[in-house]
Amino acid sequence: MNIYDIARLAGVSIATVSRVVNDSPRVSEKTKQKVLAVMKENDYTPNVFARGLGLDSMQSIGIVCPDVSDVYMAGAVAFLEHRLRGYGYDCILYCSGYQQEKKERALELIQKKRIDALVLVGSTYAGRGGDDDSTGYIREAAENIPVFLINGKVTGKNIYSAYSTDSDSSYDVVSKMIESGRRRILFLTDSGSYSANQKLEGYEKALREHGLPVLGELKLRTRNEVHYVRDILLSRRALVFDSVFATDDGLAVGAVKYAHARGLKIPQELCIVGYNNSVYSICCEPELTTIDNTSEKLCNITVDNLMKVLKGEAVPEEVPVQCVLVKRCTTDF
Amino acid sequence: MNIYDIARLAGVSIATVSRVVNDSPRVSEKTKQKVLAVMKENDYTPNVFARGLGLDSMQSIGIVCPDVSDVYMAGAVAFLEHRLRGYGYDCILYCSGYQQEKKERALELIQKKRIDALVLVGSTYAGRGGDDDSTGYIREAAENIPVFLINGKVTGKNIYSAYSTDSDSSYDVVSKMIESGRRRILFLTDSGSYSANQKLEGYEKALREHGLPVLGELKLRTRNEVHYVRDILLSRRALVFDSVFATDDGLAVGAVKYAHARGLKIPQELCIVGYNNSVYSICCEPELTTIDNTSEKLCNITVDNLMKVLKGEAVPEEVPVQCVLVKRCTTDF
DNA sequence: ATGAAAGCGCTAACAT
DNA sequence: ATGTTAGCGCTTTCAT
């Protein structure tokens, strides 16, 4: 059942059917109704490929993230998909992994699908932030379609970044830890992404401004697996720390497990703060204070801007969003 | 830059270019290399829409799930996407929600994209299992394209189901609980899906076979939110139970929180078993015994079968897969 | 307001 | 082995 069939059955030309399908005003109400009736009767659906050929668009958005099985990204993807669908767009999902080469390949491949825009979820796509070399492939993609970063910053034409002010929020919470008497705060991370670096920056700034030394031994990068983190910490017998600031809740829970294994009271003997306000942070015992980077807000702003850009409207290239501290385990701040 | 340009630059016809693009054997090695060179030089990408029009396929698979922000589904989607991409297929993601009407609409809309196959993730798509009325829309979809269920069973032509034997594994674990002395086992669930019903069936069977009564008061359906579950249980002061069998780890963690609030020792005073072997089950304290329904295995089988079906090969319509009990908090079994 | 017809860029049957 | 050409089903000028 194609447009010719409908045209024949409705006694009009295919141009008229096309006009009805595309809701053109240049059709009389009468014929419009007739065509619609025939369409419904035969439940006709325009062929998306033919339509795509003509319009050079299939109304689809590419969503790329390193790994949807990560709670944070899964949440963002779910949110994005829902809102984009609301605008009639389909989402093509591509999980790229974290390696540079794979990320480049992901953008290359997904672009072949002639998506209308690209959304990159996760700060891994931000390189070291701004315009460094490792993000050249993103600028290349942006030559063809608008690119939107969620929680990352990349500068360039046709590139729009929404990110949370991780440096500031990290600075704030680490300052509070220091002011409540902590002196050896372990910085626990699983990545060297833009976001992780921002957090580190805030952490170091807080230390410096409070006259504390920035110690390499107190910066630990590890895998984001609860038991792995616990075991790493247990194995570092010589490492002394009175608190932990983790760049992800999963890591923070690992620290909780470590505390349990060592018989340390939380937060009295070991103060732990996580990041992302995920379900993990309320599963453990005690439940953790964590920084909510409001990914919903980032996604919302991004979708709003994306729609505007597709309509040719101007939008800011950069939108910083503030994080929110969620206090749960805070006898001292 | 289209196929005509390439043909002209390479000094051949578009048919030859097309043959090269599609890796046809009927091109001489020499011209093939020449065409490839021209293609590379201009980095030409065939237009997917035109290709789709001709082949009536854009090499894409529709993945529908109620909600990707759910850990279980996110894991399955990540796995599916990865493997399908390995075969050169793109994935169009559609989060349908749990309501019948929305699920029907999801299948209707995603089919318009002329996907090559449909994968439904989550037992919510199984209705009450088998061939009940509520799954009519799935059979309708299957008239056009093959449909694959992950963790659900729907019968019908062109429908393929891979599911875990939740009834058996539930029976086994509940039997163990009874044999270790538990008498009032709370069945905690958040859904009335096929899978949930299977679990309930196993639970009831175990009770009956051990001469215990099946009590309505011990079957509780609630929202899958940790604190909500805790509070519901706390509010049921009259409800007596010595153990909990939850159909999802999130619910089980809620029970853990309840135990903490009431000062009950786990598992001595309250034995808790979860489902899905998610990260949640190792975040809480103590870490939970849980049933791993091996979703990776379900996904693997599904992708294998999907590829075979697309090639026209025969595959079983139904593949049951055994769950695995992951013991963590088991002083008594 | 409606129709005729020329693309859109590709695939594949057919011809050479 | 290679080329010619007719679709694929739609959008969109350009006539009327």
Side-chain angles (χ1 to χ4, degrees):
Chain A
M1 186 61 55
N2 61 29
I3 199 172
Y4 293 95
D5 298 321
I6 301 299
R8 191 168 28 76
L9 292 172
V12 297
S13 74
I14 61 165
T16 298
V17 176
S18 178
R19 288 194 187 95
V20 171
V21 166
N22 294 288
D23 211 34
S24 158
R26 311 192 309 165
V27 196
S28 76
E29 190 57 30
K30 195 179 160 195
T31 49
K32 179 174 175 174
Q33 291 311 325
K34 183 172 191 176
V35 172
L36 282 175
V38 175
M39 282 177 24
K40 180 144 293 171
E41 201 175 328
N42 298 273
D43 73 359
Y44 162 72
T45 299
N47 182 305
V48 281
F49 301 144
R51 204 135 192 268
L53 232 201
L55 300 172
D56 197 30
S57 157
M58 242 181 69
Q59 298 266 95
S60 62
I61 307 289
I63 298 183
V64 182
C65 73
D67 178 15
V68 241
S69 71
D70 177 286
V71 257
Y72 177 78
M73 290 162 202
V77 169
F79 201 80
L80 289 169
E81 191 274 345
H82 182 247
R83 285 220 47 207
L84 290 170
R85 177 116 10 236
Y87 285 105
Y89 282 83
D90 271 304
C91 296
I92 296 184
L93 179 66
Y94 197 129
C95 302
S96 70
Y98 291 91
Q99 299 159 37
Q100 180 70 14
E101 183 186 300
K102 299 229 174 147
K103 290 188 280 186
E104 292 179 5
R105 185 162 168 69
L107 290 222
E108 187 189 321
L109 285 181
I110 203 169
Q111 277 188 84
K112 295 195 177 176
K113 297 303 173 182
R114 306 233 164 194
I115 48 181
D116 297 316
L118 198 48
V119 180
L120 308 182
V121 182
S123 72
T124 183
Y125 299 105
R128 267 155 273 116
D131 63 347
D132 80 82
D133 284 353
S134 66
T135 53
Y137 69 109
I138 295 179
R139 273 181 289 278
E140 249 175 60
E143 287 173 15
N144 306 314
I145 43 170
V147 179
F148 297 82
L149 291 240
I150 302 253
N151 205 25
K153 181 161 96 178
V154 170
T155 55
K157 193 164 152 33
N158 217 16
I159 301 178
Y160 306 88
S161 308
Y163 52 86
S164 48
T165 56
D166 294 321
S167 172
D168 291 349
S169 50
S170 299
Y171 170 81
D172 289 344
V173 76
V174 172
S175 292
K176 282 182 182 160
M177 291 167 92
I178 297 169
E179 284 154 16
S180 74
R182 310 296 165 170
R183 284 299 169 266
R184 294 184 60 87
I185 306 173
L186 182 67
F187 180 82
L188 204 53
T189 189
D190 66 332
S191 106
S193 72
Y194 173 67
S195 160
N197 285 331
Q198 289 295 105
K199 293 166 188 169
L200 180 59
E201 201 175 295
Y203 162 83
E204 294 186 349
K205 184 181 169 202
L207 292 181
R208 280 196 310 271
E209 294 199 356
H210 288 79
L212 291 179
V214 175
L215 303 171
E217 62 193 85
L218 286 178
K219 296 188 246 179
L220 187 58
R221 179 161 170 185
T222 174
R223 281 174 19 205
N224 195 344
E225 287 166 31
V226 172
H227 292 151
Y228 188 86
V229 172
R230 175 197 63 194
D231 295 342
I232 280 282
L233 294 179
L234 285 172
S235 71
R236 298 280 169 90
R237 305 294 305 192
L239 187 60
V240 178
F241 51 97
D242 55 23
S243 47
V244 175
F245 173 54
T247 62
D248 185 83
D249 284 336
L251 299 161
V253 173
V256 169
K257 295 291 174 179
Y258 159 81
H260 290 327
R262 290 282 308 271
L264 300 171
K265 288 217 184 321
I266 304 171
Q268 297 83 354
E269 296 172 285
L270 189 67
C271 169
I272 301 173
V273 173
Y275 221 106
N276 284 346
N277 192 20
S278 65
V279 179
Y280 301 155
S281 68
I282 58 166
C283 283
C284 59
E285 200 66 37
E287 298 179 12
L288 291 178
T289 287
T290 183
I291 294 172
D292 189 328
N293 87 339
T294 64
S295 86
E296 278 205 6
K297 203 165 176 182
L298 293 180
C299 291
N300 256 327
I301 290 170
T302 297
V303 173
D304 290 345
N305 286 347
L306 194 157
M307 287 305 149
K308 285 187 185 168
V309 168
L310 289 184
K311 278 190 224 150
E313 297 173 26
V315 303
E317 302 205 329
E318 229 177 275
V319 184
V321 174
Q322 277 208 308
C323 298
V324 175
L325 182 66
V326 181
K327 297 187 192 182
R328 291 209 188 92
C329 179
T330 51
T331 41
D332 43 5
F333 64 85
Chain B
M1 187 63 54
N2 62 29
I3 200 171
Y4 292 95
D5 298 320
I6 301 298
R8 190 166 30 74
L9 293 172
V12 297
S13 74
I14 61 162
T16 299
V17 176
S18 178
R19 287 192 187 98
V20 171
V21 166
N22 294 289
D23 210 35
S24 157
R26 311 192 310 167
V27 196
S28 76
E29 190 56 29
K30 195 179 157 194
T31 49
K32 180 174 176 178
Q33 291 311 326
K34 183 172 190 176
V35 171
L36 283 175
V38 175
M39 281 174 30
K40 181 143 294 171
E41 201 175 330
N42 298 275
D43 71 3
Y44 162 71
T45 300
N47 182 305
V48 281
F49 301 144
R51 206 137 190 268
L53 232 201
L55 300 173
D56 196 29
S57 157
M58 243 182 67
Q59 298 266 96
S60 63
I61 307 291
I63 298 184
V64 182
C65 73
D67 178 16
V68 242
S69 71
D70 177 287
V71 257
Y72 177 79
M73 289 160 204
V77 170
F79 201 80
L80 289 169
E81 192 272 347
H82 182 248
R83 284 219 49 206
L84 291 169
R85 175 108 23 226
Y87 285 105
Y89 282 83
D90 272 303
C91 296
I92 296 182
L93 179 66
Y94 196 129
C95 302
S96 70
Y98 291 89
Q99 299 159 37
Q100 180 70 15
E101 184 186 299
K102 299 228 173 149
K103 291 188 280 185
E104 292 179 4
R105 185 161 169 68
L107 290 222
E108 187 189 322
L109 285 182
I110 203 168
Q111 276 188 86
K112 295 194 176 176
K113 297 301 173 181
R114 305 233 164 195
I115 47 182
D116 297 313
L118 197 49
V119 180
L120 309 182
V121 181
S123 72
T124 183
Y125 300 105
R128 268 155 272 118
D131 63 346
D132 80 83
D133 283 353
S134 65
T135 53
Y137 70 109
I138 295 179
R139 272 180 289 278
E140 248 176 60
E143 287 172 15
N144 305 314
I145 44 170
V147 178
F148 297 82
L149 290 241
I150 301 255
N151 207 24
K153 182 159 96 178
V154 170
T155 55
K157 193 162 153 32
N158 217 14
I159 301 177
Y160 305 88
S161 308
Y163 51 86
S164 48
T165 55
D166 293 322
S167 173
D168 291 350
S169 50
S170 299
Y171 170 80
D172 290 344
V173 77
V174 173
S175 292
K176 283 181 182 163
M177 292 167 91
I178 297 169
E179 286 154 17
S180 73
R182 309 297 165 171
R183 284 298 168 268
R184 294 184 61 87
I185 306 172
L186 182 67
F187 180 83
L188 203 53
T189 189
D190 65 334
S191 105
S193 71
Y194 172 67
S195 160
N197 285 332
Q198 290 294 105
K199 293 166 187 169
L200 181 59
E201 202 176 294
Y203 163 83
E204 294 186 348
K205 184 179 168 205
L207 293 181
R208 280 196 309 271
E209 294 200 357
H210 289 79
L212 292 178
V214 174
L215 303 171
E217 64 194 82
L218 285 179
K219 295 187 250 180
L220 187 58
R221 178 161 172 184
T222 173
R223 286 185 359 216
N224 194 346
E225 287 167 30
V226 172
H227 291 151
Y228 188 86
V229 172
R230 175 197 63 195
D231 295 341
I232 280 283
L233 294 180
L234 284 172
S235 71
R236 298 283 169 87
R237 305 295 305 195
L239 186 59
V240 178
F241 52 97
D242 54 22
S243 47
V244 175
F245 173 54
T247 62
D248 183 83
D249 284 336
L251 299 161
V253 172
V256 168
K257 295 291 173 181
Y258 160 80
H260 291 326
R262 290 283 309 270
L264 300 172
K265 288 215 185 320
I266 304 170
Q268 297 82 356
E269 296 172 285
L270 189 67
C271 169
I272 300 173
V273 172
Y275 221 108
N276 284 348
N277 191 21
S278 65
V279 178
Y280 301 155
S281 68
I282 58 165
C283 284
C284 60
E285 202 66 36
E287 298 179 13
L288 290 179
T289 287
T290 182
I291 294 171
D292 188 327
N293 87 340
T294 64
S295 86
E296 279 206 6
K297 203 165 176 179
L298 294 179
C299 292
N300 256 328
I301 290 169
T302 297
V303 173
D304 290 345
N305 286 346
L306 193 156
M307 287 305 148
K308 286 186 185 168
V309 168
L310 289 185
K311 280 190 223 151
E313 297 173 26
V315 302
E317 302 205 328
E318 226 178 274
V319 183
V321 173
Q322 277 206 310
C323 298
V324 175
L325 182 65
V326 180
K327 296 187 192 181
R328 292 209 187 90
C329 178
T330 51
T331 41
D332 45 1
F333 64 84

